[in-house]
């Protein structure tokens, strides 16, 4: 009986579970907002390329 109580009081795996849940939430958010993220990244790259072209002229 003492072993069962000891088993339920252990929390060694809690860090791993929390990290896995955070990763799952992030992947789900990327899946939901994929189009918006893609548009934002494209806009940023276009701005960087335009500004870099202005520097070299």
């Amino acid at each position: 009986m003492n072993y069962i109580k000891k088993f339920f009081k252990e929390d060694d795996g809690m860090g791993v579970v929390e990290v896995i849940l955070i990763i799952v939430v992030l992947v789900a958010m990327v899946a939901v907002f994929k189009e918006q993220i893609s548009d934002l990244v494209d806009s940023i790259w276009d701005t960087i390329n335009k500004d870099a072209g202005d520097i070299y002229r």
Side-chain angles (χ1 to χ4, degrees):
M1 193 65 167
N2 200 12
Y3 294 113
I4 294 172
K5 289 181 185 178
K6 191 175 182 181
F7 174 76
F8 283 110
K9 288 185 180 183
E10 287 182 13
D11 60 354
D12 295 341
M14 291 298 265
V16 174
V17 172
E18 291 167 355
V19 170
I20 290 172
L21 287 175
I22 290 170
I23 291 171
V24 167
V25 168
L26 288 175
V27 168
M29 289 180 67
V30 167
V32 169
F33 297 109
K34 181 180 177 183
E35 186 69 30
Q36 289 88 349
I37 293 170
S38 177
D39 290 343
L40 177 66
V41 171
D42 288 341
S43 173
I44 291 170
W45 279 114
D46 289 342
T47 304
I48 290 171
N49 286 333
K50 180 182 162 273
D51 291 344
D54 291 342
I55 291 171
Y56 289 116
R57 289 183 195 183

